[in-house]
Amino acid sequence: MADTSSLDALIQALRRLPGVGQKSAQRMAFHLLQHDRAGAQLLSQALAQAAGNVRHCRRCHTFTEGELCEVCQDATRDVTRLCVVETPADQAAMERTGAFKGLYFVLMGRLSPLDGVGPRDIGMQELLARAESEGVQEVILATSFTAEGEATAHALSELLARRGVRTTRLARGVPVGSELEYVDLGTIAHALADRR
């Protein structure tokens, strides 16, 4: 049998991606090697370049190649509003809406005591210092609606309130275009409680 250690290493590397199991990783590896060697080279080069050049913005912690990301450098942004998100992917989603014109703080995670993730791990002190020192009037907590995301939002809200900083939370409720009979009961209950 031929030596397949390079193929096995590729499959194991692809399995590190979220949502990719053994079969999917194997399918991707075989496709790249059998049908798209040029694509495999492109992917390899892009990964190496990104891993070598992309770092965290020193102000908001999102991904960037410079000291500051484009959003933090943008002089037209509303510096009085700061949106707190868990990940750079969450920030990208907020930016795609085109609805938020303030600045961001990316936690790079959320509180999760069971996983050993505490306030220091998500930069809570940096966020508090930034909110106090930069004239922020509103902090919008845009963490996920999981137990950990809710705990993170609650902890941040309490700490910011003690410092006199106004906090708001993303609204939650019935998705646009959905039919009420197919929406889960928890979502309906929150939508009813948070109605305006």
Side-chain angles (χ1 to χ4, degrees):
M1 184 171 166
D3 180 19
T4 59
S5 61
S6 294
L7 177 59
D8 290 338
L10 174 59
I11 292 167
Q12 292 310 309
L14 289 168
R15 284 189 65 194
R16 296 179 69 101
L17 295 170
V20 177
Q22 179 70 27
K23 286 184 180 182
S24 295
Q26 205 170 26
R27 207 171 15 256
M28 286 184 236
F30 289 152
H31 171 80
L32 287 169
L33 296 175
Q34 185 175 355
H35 300 292
D36 195 5
R37 292 259 174 163
Q41 287 296 326
L42 256 160
L43 181 62
S44 170
Q45 292 165 1
L47 277 170
Q49 187 173 2
N53 297 338
V54 175
R55 58 183 166 180
H56 295 286
C57 173
R58 71 175 162 79
R59 187 172 184 204
C60 76
H61 299 158
T62 197
F63 292 135
T64 184
E65 288 192 31
E67 282 287 311
L68 293 174
C69 69
E70 288 181 24
V71 172
C72 286
Q73 292 181 56
D74 186 349
T76 66
R77 303 297 286 220
D78 180 358
V79 297
T80 66
R81 294 190 315 154
L82 186 64
C83 183
V84 177
V85 295
E86 293 176 8
T87 67
D90 295 339
Q91 179 191 2
M94 292 289 290
E95 280 296 288
R96 282 193 306 272
T97 70
F100 182 69
K101 300 299 181 192
L103 296 173
Y104 293 91
F105 188 89
V106 182
L107 297 170
M108 299 305 289
R110 56 187 171 226
L111 293 176
S112 181
L114 293 177
D115 296 322
V117 179
R120 288 185 182 176
D121 300 310
I122 62 172
M124 243 187 219
Q125 289 305 320
E126 289 176 61
L127 170 61
L128 296 172
R130 184 170 169 199
E132 287 181 306
S133 68
E134 293 185 16
V136 173
Q137 294 174 9
E138 178 187 14
V139 173
I140 301 164
L141 301 172
T143 56
S144 60
F145 290 101
T146 62
E148 293 90 353
E150 291 282 2
T152 303
H154 178 73
L156 289 172
S157 178
E158 293 286 318
L159 291 169
L160 289 162
R162 285 186 212 145
R163 289 164 172 77
V165 179
R166 178 175 173 250
T167 60
T168 57
R169 181 87 165 106
L170 283 185
R172 56 184 160 193
V174 179
V176 174
S178 64
E179 295 182 34
L180 204 54
E181 69 179 295
Y182 299 113
V183 176
D184 70 275
L185 299 178
T187 299
I188 293 171
H190 282 295
L192 187 58
D194 296 340
R195 70 188 183 281
R196 52 182 165 127

